[in-house]
Amino acid sequence: MTNITTIWNSGHGLIESGVFFADGRVALLEGSPRTGFSVESWTTLDEIWVADPEAISEVDEALLLETHEWSVFTGIGSWEGEGFLALRKSATKELLWVLHLDSSEHFSEARLEGQIIVAISEEYPERCVWYVPVGEPEALAVRYSYAP
């Protein structure tokens, strides 16, 4: 059995757009920053891994935000335009989920508003503000802006 914790801790992430949960569930996402995202389907990490074990990218992880409860990490991958967010429990460092989007750009900052991670990604002239619920990251929302 493959798990996202082992993959993430080894400096890698899956290249599918989706939310990869520590328990093996995967919410595959469809959409774009301009139109928003929704769950295309639910699957498991094992099913993705069996179908394409090479579908991984190297990821450089960096801490964006740490509170007494949560640690939010960003990841810079190998592909242009992609972005990763990962959530860990601060006290135990347990990884809860990893979000990968192939069209988000790198997440450069984050803050916590209640139980929602508000993250920023941008590549001029585009800027996105992401709203990612801690307990339901697949229900993320995005506010897209373009400033030529």
Side-chain angles (χ1 to χ4, degrees):
M1 178 179 163
T2 303
N3 69 61
I4 193 62
T5 302
T6 301
I7 293 169
W8 187 255
N9 288 344
S10 72
H12 294 88
L14 277 288
I15 62 172
E16 297 280 348
S17 283
V19 182
F20 301 86
F21 294 91
D23 65 6
R25 294 175 299 131
V26 177
L28 294 175
L29 301 175
E30 63 182 354
S32 74
R34 290 180 183 191
T35 63
F37 288 86
S38 62
V39 175
E40 177 183 6
S41 63
W42 285 90
T43 187
T44 66
L45 183 56
D46 285 338
E47 288 175 3
I48 292 172
W49 194 259
V50 167
D52 189 0
E54 301 298 316
I56 62 172
S57 171
E58 288 188 15
V59 178
D60 292 325
E61 178 186 39
L63 182 66
L64 275 183
L65 171 71
E66 188 165 30
T67 69
H68 70 281
E69 190 173 8
W70 308 114
S71 298
V72 179
F73 292 84
T74 186
I76 299 174
S78 305
W79 300 95
E80 175 67 32
E82 72 181 339
F84 291 87
L85 277 181
L87 182 70
R88 293 183 184 270
K89 290 183 179 178
S90 291
T92 64
K93 307 300 181 210
E94 175 190 358
L95 182 69
L96 300 179
W97 50 258
V98 173
L99 168 67
H100 172 253
L101 297 169
D102 63 9
S103 59
S104 65
E105 296 296 345
H106 169 67
F107 295 96
S108 57
E109 57 186 88
R111 68 183 183 275
L112 202 57
E113 293 182 0
Q115 290 296 301
I116 296 177
I117 299 165
V118 180
I120 306 295
S121 68
E122 55 192 328
E123 182 68 32
Y124 183 81
E126 300 176 312
R127 183 174 197 268
C128 296
V129 180
W130 301 86
Y131 302 90
V132 185
V134 166
E136 195 179 5
E138 70 278 11
L140 64 94
V142 59
R143 189 178 75 226
Y144 172 87
S145 60
Y146 182 84

